[in-house]
Each structure stands twice: as C-alpha cells, then as structure tokens.
Amino acid sequence: SDIVVISATALINKTLPRLLELAHHKDCIVLGPSTPMNRVLFNFGASILAGVRIVDIDALISCIMQGAKAFKRLYGVEAVMANK
C-alpha cells in the first residue's frame, strides 16, 4: 500500500519501531489519542502524527467520571495533527 496507518498503541506494546521500519518509503500515519505529538517520530519514519490535546481538564475528567468511552462524547479535548 502507499499509505500505512499505525495505531499509537503500537508504541505501548513496543511494536512501533518495527512497524515504522516495515513501512519505510510509505506515507505513514501514527494515529490515536495516545500518539505522542513529538516530532522525533518523523526521524523514525512517521509522516503524520494524529492525536489529541487536552484543552479543558475539568471537562475531560467529568466526562470520564460519567463513563464516556467514545471519543466523540469526550469534552475537553481537540484533535491535533502534525506533518513531517
């Protein structure tokens, strides 16, 4: 494929380095709320980082305490993206 999308969970389970290596020379998106928005990932093959930024911690905590599980139901966060 020309575009590879990798869940940021791959960082947590320690498979991200290998997946980025396998996706060499492809447009590679690291996606998800656990994506570290750190440009150093571009040095390892990521082309786009897509994650979230907390803009209202109190609203976010309130949503979580009320059991919100779907991203679209979370208040206090906004989607962010960084390109290589």
Side-chain angles (χ1 to χ4, degrees):
S1 72
D2 295 325
I3 299 174
V4 177
V5 180
I6 302 171
S7 169
T9 302
L11 180 63
I12 297 166
N13 68 24
K14 300 179 181 169
T15 60
L16 184 60
R18 178 66 177 144
L19 293 173
L20 288 172
E21 181 183 327
L22 291 170
H24 190 62
H25 298 298
K26 308 282 183 186
D27 287 327
C28 187
I29 303 168
V30 180
L31 175 74
S34 58
T35 302
M37 300 303 290
N38 190 321
R39 301 186 76 76
V40 73
L41 290 176
F42 297 140
N43 297 335
F44 294 94
S47 305
I48 297 173
L49 305 176
V52 297
R53 173 179 28 219
I54 298 172
V55 294
D56 185 340
I57 189 72
D58 294 327
L60 178 59
I61 289 171
S62 178
C63 285
I64 292 168
M65 289 176 61
Q66 293 174 30
K69 294 179 183 167
F71 178 74
K72 63 183 177 183
R73 293 191 176 151
L74 288 178
Y75 297 105
V77 296
E78 68 180 4
V80 293
M81 184 181 79
N83 292 328
K84 187 173 186 179

